[in-house]
Amino acid sequence: MQAGPMDEPPSILWGLDPIFSAFARLYIKDILQMTESVQVPGIYFYNNHPIYKVDVLGTVVYKRERDDFFCYGVDDGTGVINCLCWKSELFKDKDDGAGAAPGPSDPTVFDPVAELKKLKQAQQKRCRLEIGELIRVRGPVKTSRQQREITASVFYKVEDPLMAEQIQWMMDVPELYRECYDKTFQLQSDKQGESADSPLIKATNLIKDFIKQKSVSKFRTYDVLDLLEPLISRQPQAASADPEAAGPSGCQQVRQLLKEVLKVLQDEGVVYRRVKTQDEVYHVTERDKDLFIVVKDIIREDSKREKYSEKGCHVLHILSAVRQRHSFNVSKAALEIVLKSLVCNSDIVSSSDKHYTAF
Amino acid sequence: MLPPTAVFYFPWEVKSLGEGKSVRTFGRLSCYEADESRASLSCHHASKEHKVFVHTLFVEPFNPIIGAQYLVLGETESYEGFGVMIRARVLNCVDGVNIALLQKAIEGQRSFFRERERKDGGSQTTRYHR
C-alpha cells in the first residue's frame, strides 16, 4: 500500500523506525522516486519508512571537479544520481608536490612527515575517481534545483577487479528490501496488541490518562472498572466458554488487574484513600484541594515557630502533621507530589533537600 | 547532464535491443581492431556463441587482453553489417569474474523487480527485457 502525502506518519514517531537511523541501501531508482515529506523537507519516504540517508555502490559515469568538491554521477544499473563529494582538508593540501613519492623509510624510526605524505597520497588515490571506476557513497539525500543528489559523508573508490563487490551488493539488496524496506512499519502509538508492555503497565497508563483527561478528583472502583475491560478481552482465551475452566473469568481478571493498578497508583502517591471504609473512594492527590490547603497551612504555621524558622520543616514532620490533621492514609509519596506542586506554584520554598518553608 | 542509466543485459539479449538503449553487458575479448576502434566480446550460452560488438573510440587507449573478460557500458547503435553495436563509455577488464554468479545476481535482481511490479500493479516505469 503506497502512502500518499496525506498518509505520512507524524514526524514525532519517525525515530521509532530503525531504518530512519540507518544508511538505507536503496536502489538509485527508488532514491530518485521517493516522495519528499510535507512535514519536514529533506526527509523522504519509501514505503512509509522515513529516509534521510542512503548508501549506494555504482559506476562513475559523470565527473565534475572544482577546487572544493567532486561531483560524481553514479550509476548502479537502476538509476543515475549525482553525488556531491567535498574534498577533505588533507586532500586539498598541495604544498608537498603531488608527484614526489616518499623515499624508503627506516622501519625502526617513525617519521611523521613521511607518514603524513603517504596518508595524503592514499587519500587522494581513494577519492579521485575516473569514469568507469566503482564508487561507494553514503550520505543524506538532498533535492537541489529540482534534482536529487546525495551529499557524501563518506565516499571512496572500491577496488573490485573481479566484480565480487558488485555481485555481492546485487545479491544483498533484494534481500534487504524483502526483510526491511518493503515491510511496512507500524508507526502507531498507543495501539493495543502491538506494544510489548505488560497489561499492568498498560492498565496503569490507561487509568492515569483517564484521571488526567477527565480532571477527576476522586473515583470509586466501579467508575474505572470498564476502562480495563478491553485489555482483558485482548488476551487469547484458551477455553473461554468452558464452564469448568479452572482459570479466572474475564470479570475476575479485570477486578484483579484493577486491584494491582490501584496498588501501584497508591505506591506512587498518585491516589490515596482519605478514609478507609467499605466504600472504596480514591482521591487523586493532585486534585485534592483540601490536602493542598492543609499542607500549606502546616508549613506556613510551623515555619513561624522558632524551632523551624531557620531550616524549615522536615518532610517527615509535615507528614506526621498531615496525618494527624487530614488523613492517616496519606503516604510519603503522595505528600511529595503535593510538595512538588506547591513548590512549582511558588506557594512554598524548598530550603534544602528535605526541608520546606513558607514565605 | 547525467547520462541515462545503463541497465544490465546479457550478451545474447543485446542484438534484439533497438538503437539508443543504454546497456551494460560483459563478454570475453575475442578480437580488437585498433584502426577501426572496434572490439568484439563473445560469450557462450545455451551451446551457442554470442558476439557483442563494441565501438571503443571513447575508451581508448585501453590495454586489450585477448581472452580476458570485459564489462562494457554504453549506448546501442545500428551499424551496417554488424547489427547492434555498443558505443562504449566504460570498458573495464574484469578477468576472473565469476560469470555464473554474475548471471545469478542479475537474474535475482530482475526477479525482484518483476515481483515488485506485480505487487504494485505495474506502476513501475522501467521494464526489463525478459
Side-chain angles (χ1 to χ4, degrees):
Chain A
M1 183 173 75
Q2 283 298 332
M6 295 305 139
D7 300 350
E8 268 178 38
S11 59
I12 201 165
L13 300 178
W14 290 347
L16 293 175
D17 189 345
I19 294 175
F20 186 56
S21 319
F23 288 93
R25 283 203 201 175
L26 297 171
Y27 285 118
I28 291 180
K29 180 164 95 125
D30 292 333
I31 297 173
L32 294 172
Q33 290 176 354
M34 302 193 286
T35 49
E36 190 159 6
S37 163
V38 291
Q39 293 171 75
V40 182
I43 308 294
Y44 303 83
F45 279 93
Y46 174 79
N47 191 29
N48 233 24
H49 290 287
I51 306 270
Y52 90 96
K53 50 192 188 183
V54 294
D55 187 354
V56 299
L57 179 76
T59 311
V60 175
V61 292
Y62 172 82
K63 175 183 169 180
R64 191 176 67 197
E65 184 176 354
R66 295 279 180 275
D67 286 338
D68 294 336
F69 65 86
F70 291 106
C71 191
Y72 291 119
V74 180
D75 180 346
D76 72 346
T78 69
V80 186
I81 193 168
N82 249 329
C83 296
L84 182 66
C85 304
W86 292 98
K87 292 182 182 174
S88 72
E89 284 312 312
L90 204 60
F91 190 97
K92 285 194 270 189
D93 204 348
K94 289 191 185 70
D95 59 7
D96 287 332
S105 50
D106 185 352
T108 58
V109 175
F110 178 72
D111 180 6
V113 175
E115 295 302 315
L116 192 62
K117 204 183 216 167
K118 277 194 229 166
L119 180 63
K120 261 186 228 185
Q121 288 180 340
Q123 177 86 315
Q124 302 217 348
K125 215 172 98 174
R126 293 198 106 186
C127 294
R128 173 168 274 121
L129 286 96
E130 298 308 325
I131 293 189
E133 293 182 327
L134 195 65
I135 189 174
R136 175 91 182 268
V137 179
R138 300 175 109 205
V141 178
K142 213 172 60 152
T143 305
S144 99
R145 289 178 234 165
Q146 258 119 48
Q147 257 210 339
R148 283 253 163 115
E149 64 180 27
I150 302 174
T151 307
S153 61
V154 171
F155 72 98
Y156 57 89
K157 172 158 71 175
V158 180
E159 297 289 353
D160 193 23
L162 305 180
M163 285 188 76
E165 298 278 347
Q166 287 175 84
I167 292 175
Q168 191 59 52
W169 191 277
M170 281 171 74
M171 301 195 24
D172 286 344
V173 175
E175 273 313 302
L176 281 172
Y177 270 83
R178 286 185 195 109
E179 293 298 307
C180 314
Y181 309 135
D182 282 347
K183 286 204 172 145
T184 22
F185 185 70
Q186 303 289 358
L187 287 178
Q188 293 170 55
S189 55
D190 280 337
K191 293 287 183 221
Q192 305 93 329
E194 232 73 80
S195 163
D197 282 342
S198 73
L200 181 59
I201 295 177
K202 278 194 253 189
T204 313
N205 287 335
L206 265 175
I207 305 284
K208 277 187 184 168
D209 287 343
F210 165 72
I211 290 173
K212 197 162 157 187
Q213 280 163 17
K214 304 281 180 187
S215 305
V216 174
S217 58
K218 57 182 194 252
F219 61 90
R220 291 182 170 76
T221 49
Y222 53 73
D223 292 328
V224 293
L225 207 56
D226 50 349
L227 286 178
L228 302 185
E229 261 162 33
L231 288 179
I232 297 297
S233 59
R234 206 134 309 229
Q235 310 300 330
Q237 300 269 344
S240 45
D242 187 353
E244 303 205 349
S249 72
C251 206
Q252 282 175 315
Q253 281 184 323
V254 175
R255 267 185 226 284
Q256 179 59 28
L257 185 61
L258 181 61
K259 202 162 144 194
E260 287 168 26
V261 170
L262 288 170
K263 180 168 185 309
V264 169
L265 292 177
Q266 284 181 93
D267 288 344
E268 286 180 8
V270 174
V271 303
Y272 75 103
R273 284 174 68 182
R274 197 188 284 184
V275 185
K276 283 214 170 115
T277 58
Q278 283 273 28
D279 185 19
E280 275 184 64
V281 180
Y282 290 86
H283 282 79
V284 177
T285 314
E286 285 209 326
R287 299 207 162 270
D288 194 340
K289 291 197 178 69
D290 295 335
L291 179 59
F292 271 70
I293 291 171
V294 165
V295 172
K296 251 196 298 193
D297 287 346
I298 290 169
I299 297 176
R300 205 176 295 137
E301 287 162 16
D302 287 354
S303 299
K304 292 198 184 107
R305 287 160 61 183
E306 232 187 88
K307 195 168 158 195
Y308 304 109
S309 59
E310 214 183 292
K311 269 179 93 174
C313 309
H314 193 274
V315 65
L316 293 174
H317 163 77
I318 304 172
L319 184 63
S320 78
V322 168
R323 281 178 175 166
Q324 283 173 18
R325 272 203 220 186
H326 184 74
S327 159
F328 270 120
N329 304 317
V330 176
S331 67
K332 185 158 173 267
L335 178 62
E336 275 170 353
I337 290 182
V338 174
L339 290 169
K340 187 165 157 201
S341 179
L342 288 173
V343 168
C344 280
N345 283 333
S346 297
D347 288 325
I348 60 175
V349 173
S350 162
S351 48
S352 87
D353 187 28
K354 293 204 187 310
H355 291 82
Y356 297 87
T357 185
F359 291 110
Chain B
M1 188 182 62
L2 286 175
T5 312
V7 177
F8 252 118
Y9 284 94
F10 294 120
W12 50 93
E13 296 172 328
V14 172
K15 60 165 84 64
S16 39
L17 294 173
E19 251 205 59
K21 278 216 107 85
S22 292
V23 307
R24 65 175 88 185
T25 193
F26 53 88
R28 217 173 266 283
L29 184 66
S30 53
C31 88
Y32 175 55
E33 288 157 51
D35 44 347
E36 301 286 325
S37 288
R38 190 169 54 227
S40 72
L41 305 178
S42 65
C43 172
H44 218 84
H45 173 76
S47 49
K48 262 181 77 178
E49 184 84 13
H50 299 268
K51 260 194 175 22
V52 174
F53 294 104
V54 179
H55 192 96
T56 55
L57 187 61
F58 296 154
V59 294
E60 274 159 1
F62 77 101
N63 180 22
I65 305 171
I66 302 290
Q69 290 279 3
Y70 276 82
L71 182 79
V72 62
L73 201 150
E75 277 63 46
T76 52
E77 287 178 346
S78 257
Y79 272 81
E80 185 105 21
F82 291 98
V84 168
M85 190 180 293
I86 299 178
R87 189 179 277 270
R89 291 187 266 127
V90 171
L91 186 62
N92 289 337
C93 179
V94 292
D95 203 32
V97 62
N98 185 338
I99 290 288
L101 201 59
L102 175 60
Q103 193 169 326
K104 187 165 162 221
I106 297 171
E107 278 167 0
Q109 196 166 291
R110 285 182 179 180
S111 94
F112 168 74
F113 280 118
R114 268 199 304 273
E115 202 179 293
R116 200 162 77 160
E117 204 168 310
R118 242 198 318 267
K119 269 197 282 195
D120 283 349
S123 62
Q124 301 298 328
T125 50
T126 312
R127 298 213 48 237
Y128 284 86
H129 188 81
R130 219 4 223 97

